[in-house]
Structures are given as C-alpha cells and as structure tokens.
C-alpha cells in the first residue's frame, strides 16, 4: 500500500507538518492533491481527506462524542470497562490497546483512570492519534487523561513479543479491522469506510491474538461485531454480549492453569 501523503493547509503550522512527516514517514506535499486520499494539517487539527463525498476523518478526545462519553458515559459500568475487569477492581489495570485506530476505547479507559499504551502500526492512524493527543494534552478538561495515554507507532505483534517481564501489561485490548459478512455491522459510515480503505484489514489477527495472550498478565479482550466471527485459534474463556458489539475474553489463568 503506497504511503499516504501529507499536505499543510496552514502556513504557520509548517514546522509541525514537517515533524509529522518525519515521525510517520509521510510524503510532504506542496499542493493539495486532486485525487485519492491524503492527510491535511489545518488550523485546528489533522484530518484524513479525499475527493469523494464523505466527511473528514480525524481522532478527537476533547469535543463531540468524546466529551459526551467523558461526561455521561456511565463510568465503570460501560461494556468496555466491564470487559477489561474494571468493575469492582481494587487496582486499575495497565492496558495495551494493540489496535489503537482512532483511540476511542483507549480514551474511555484512560478517562476511568487506567494507564494505556496505544500501539498502532498504520502511519495514518498513528499521525491522527498523535495530533489528537497533543490537542487533548493542551486542554484543561482532558490534560490529565492524555497524560495517562502513550502512543507507540509499531507492529503490535513484534512490540508485544519484545516486552520484558516488568513491561508486560495486565490487559491487552484488541479491536481488529477485517471484512465482515454481517451486513448490519458492515453498514458503517462512509467516513469510516474510507478510514478502513486507507488503513487496510488486519489479516494477521490470529498471530496478534497469540502475541497478546503471551504478553498479558491477566486477560486479553477482543472487541467484535455482535454477530462477527471470533478470531481463529484459541477459544474465548467467556463472552460479554452487547447490543451491537461483544467482547471475547481470554483469561490467562483459565488458558494456562497452574500445574499442581
């Protein structure tokens, strides 16, 4: 897949564009493209754009849906919080989001007090996340949450395998992106379809699940469409069903019982 280019539409932010270009290996353009997909750094934020009809795609932790979930989200009773084991937990787990995407679930978990490392191999998604984290760090309502979030631009399989014993997370969260046969779950918004088009599908989900199970101390949580197929290989220890999504839980003690 060819590298997605970056265009700076705000002259005063050219230095920031150069830093993004270097950090994520994005070709920096002098003119806005006439076709295809590109990242555009404007006055307010970094966006993924195309000449098609869908709206801009960007990561957002301060306003919109993120603000609503921050203020009205339901705390530890939220499905993702239950799935990673927050409900009733005395100590908050350290979570690795191995498929960070636009960071929405990571932000919810960080908002509930967890330390979260967001691992994202796509340079486009990683750049959008970096921009969103920078904006969140500079806003008084979200600075403390952003401080608990660390972005790593890497392949999760290799990154998880390289962790030392002291670096292992309590929970690894996986939300793979791959084609679904369920028509209802596939009826995503046009902008998210565009995002998937640029990011690509996670064809190595089975290998990622194995790496996650090897790295996690307590559990691996896989988010899936409610009727979507489970990742091939290891069978989930438990399943937490929701209205449109479900969480397949892989409890490490259940997968690797202690031999007595």
């Amino acid at each position: 897949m060819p590298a997605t280019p970056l265009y700076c539409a705000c002259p005063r932010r050219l230095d920031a564009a150069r830093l993004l270009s270097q950090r994520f290996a994005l070709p920096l353009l002098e003119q806005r493209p006439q076709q295809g997909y590109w990242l555009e750094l404007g006055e307010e934020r970094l966006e993924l754009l195309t000449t098609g009809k869908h709206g801009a795609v960007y990561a957002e932790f301060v306003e919109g849906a993120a603000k609503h979930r921050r203020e009205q989200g339901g705390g530890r009773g939220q499905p993702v919080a239950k799935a990673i084991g927050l409900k009733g937990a005395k100590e908050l787990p350290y979570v690795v989001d191995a498929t960070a995407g636009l960071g929405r679930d990571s932000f919810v978990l960080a908002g509930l007090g967890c330390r979260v490392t967001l691992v994202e191999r796509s340079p486009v998604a990683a750049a959008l996340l970096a921009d969103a984290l920078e904006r969140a760090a500079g806003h008084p309502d979200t600075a403390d949450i952003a401080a608990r979030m660390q972005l790593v631009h890497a392949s999760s399989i290799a990154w998880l395998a390289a962790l030392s014993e002291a670096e292992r997370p309590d929970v690894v969260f996986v939300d793979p992106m791959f084609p679904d046969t369920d028509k209802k779950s596939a009826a995503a918004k046009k902008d998210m379809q565009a995002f998937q088009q640029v990011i690509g599908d996670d064809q190595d989900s089975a290998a990622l699940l194995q790496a996650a199970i090897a790295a996690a101390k307590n559990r691996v949580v896989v988010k899936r469409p409610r009727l979507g197929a489970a990742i091939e290989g290891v069978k989930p220890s438990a399943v937490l069903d929701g209205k449109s999504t479900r969480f397949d839980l892989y409890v490490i003690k259940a997968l690797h019982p202690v031999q007595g």
Side-chain angles (χ1 to χ4, degrees):
M1 189 177 291
T4 302
L6 169 65
Y7 170 69
C8 182
C10 180
R12 72 173 186 84
R13 300 198 67 191
L14 188 55
D15 285 345
R18 290 190 178 115
L19 288 174
L20 284 170
S21 172
Q22 292 169 5
R23 181 178 178 185
F24 300 109
L26 304 166
L28 188 58
L29 303 178
E30 294 185 358
Q31 291 184 320
R32 182 180 283 113
Q34 299 301 309
Q35 60 183 8
Y37 294 92
W38 70 94
L39 288 166
E40 184 164 315
L41 184 63
E43 185 76 32
E44 296 183 5
R45 61 185 174 234
L46 181 69
E47 300 177 338
L48 175 65
L49 300 175
T50 184
T51 49
K53 296 180 179 179
H54 74 71
V57 178
Y58 55 92
E60 180 59 62
F61 300 137
V62 180
E63 303 295 342
K67 182 177 182 180
H68 178 77
R69 288 190 75 173
R70 194 169 68 244
E71 297 175 349
Q72 313 288 340
R76 294 191 184 189
Q78 297 176 75
V80 68
K82 288 182 182 178
I84 71 155
L86 277 190
K87 199 168 186 182
K90 294 180 180 178
E91 292 185 13
L92 294 171
Y94 162 45
V95 181
V96 167
D97 185 345
T99 51
L102 293 176
R104 291 166 183 166
D105 288 310
S106 285
F107 183 75
V108 170
L109 298 176
L112 294 172
C114 296
R115 182 166 64 94
V116 184
T117 296
L118 298 84
V119 186
E120 178 53 58
R121 64 181 169 186
S122 161
V124 171
L128 293 171
L129 282 171
D131 174 68
L133 283 170
E134 183 178 347
R135 286 184 282 115
H139 195 285
D141 292 347
T142 51
D144 60 328
I145 301 175
R148 291 190 287 272
M149 301 170 72
Q150 178 190 9
L151 173 63
V152 174
H153 177 36
S155 163
S156 289
I157 296 173
W159 187 84
L160 288 167
L163 294 178
S164 68
E165 182 65 29
E167 294 170 325
R168 289 174 61 199
D170 299 302
V171 179
V172 178
F173 182 78
V174 180
D175 183 6
M177 187 150 48
F178 53 84
D180 245 303
T181 55
D182 177 19
K183 292 182 180 179
K184 289 184 179 179
S185 69
K189 294 179 180 178
K190 287 185 178 180
D191 56 353
M192 291 313 298
Q193 289 177 348
F195 183 67
Q196 184 167 353
Q197 182 78 22
V198 173
I199 304 305
D201 297 322
D202 293 318
Q203 302 289 357
D204 51 1
S205 296
L208 176 55
L209 177 59
Q210 292 286 357
I213 290 171
K217 291 180 181 178
N218 298 336
R219 69 175 67 181
V220 175
V221 177
V222 179
K223 184 178 182 181
R224 298 293 295 123
R226 188 174 65 86
L227 300 178
I231 295 179
E232 292 183 4
V234 184
K235 187 177 180 180
S237 311
V239 175
L240 183 64
D241 281 317
K243 291 181 180 179
S244 60
T245 59
R246 72 166 198 273
F247 296 94
D248 294 345
L249 311 182
Y250 301 80
V251 181
I252 303 306
K253 286 184 179 178
L255 297 177
H256 306 299
V258 177
Q259 300 296 321

